[in-house]
Amino acid sequence: LINSFPENWNKDAQPEWSTVPVNISENAVGYTIDLNATGRSKEDFKIGLDNSQLTISFEKKEETEKSEFVKIRSEFNLDSFKRVFTLDEKVNVDAIEAKYENGILKIYLPKKEAEKATPKQITIL
């Protein structure tokens, strides 16, 4: 799925919930999860991080809108969902960002900067 990134991306997905498709991509500075979630409002999403578990969920709210029209066919699927991803130590969890735009929830997971060895002088005793 992803070259050297965690083999267990999504191994913890909850099968009892409806799932939504995701795209996961990587560049030199981070990873991006794009989640196809059209027709929803950004306030209805919950994104949480517990240890190395990134959880993205959406809870369907009951429609209470009254209308003079009666639905005779409804194909919009706005079911609740939950996706869980296990992150590894490469991800800078303190800098994760999320944005919802045009029906796509984008979650940016920056990589930690590689620690560079600093040269030092050794004193001869």
Side-chain angles (χ1 to χ4, degrees):
L1 176 66
I2 297 177
N3 296 340
S4 64
F5 201 65
E7 301 83 33
N8 50 1
W9 264 101
N10 204 31
K11 84 168 192 196
D12 300 318
Q14 305 298 316
E16 66 270 11
W17 291 68
S18 169
T19 60
V20 295
V22 297
N23 291 334
I24 301 172
S25 52
E26 175 185 12
N27 65 17
V29 295
Y31 305 91
T32 303
I33 300 174
D34 292 336
L35 191 130
N36 184 0
T38 57
R40 294 165 174 93
S41 172
K42 72 178 184 177
E43 292 80 23
D44 296 331
F45 291 102
K46 290 183 182 172
I47 302 173
L49 186 64
D50 186 15
N51 293 319
S52 63
Q53 300 282 306
L54 177 71
T55 303
I56 308 163
S57 62
F58 169 80
E59 191 80 28
K60 180 180 179 180
K61 294 193 168 92
E62 294 300 318
E63 293 181 30
T64 57
E65 182 181 318
K66 293 193 178 209
S67 174
E68 63 184 277
F69 295 98
V70 176
K71 283 187 185 176
I72 54 175
R73 184 178 182 121
S74 179
E75 294 184 356
F76 290 178
N77 183 8
L78 298 179
D79 288 341
S80 298
F81 67 81
K82 181 177 181 181
R83 297 290 302 257
V84 179
F85 300 93
T86 301
L87 307 179
D88 75 359
E89 66 279 347
K90 294 179 189 177
V91 175
N92 179 355
V93 296
D94 295 324
I96 294 174
E97 297 177 358
K99 181 166 92 171
Y100 182 65
E101 187 173 69
N102 298 324
I104 304 293
L105 178 63
K106 290 185 162 289
I107 301 171
Y108 176 65
L109 307 153
K111 293 180 182 177
K112 290 180 181 174
E113 290 188 28
E115 292 184 27
K116 297 177 183 174
T118 55
K120 68 176 187 176
Q121 294 292 326
I122 298 174
T123 306
I124 301 172
L125 301 175

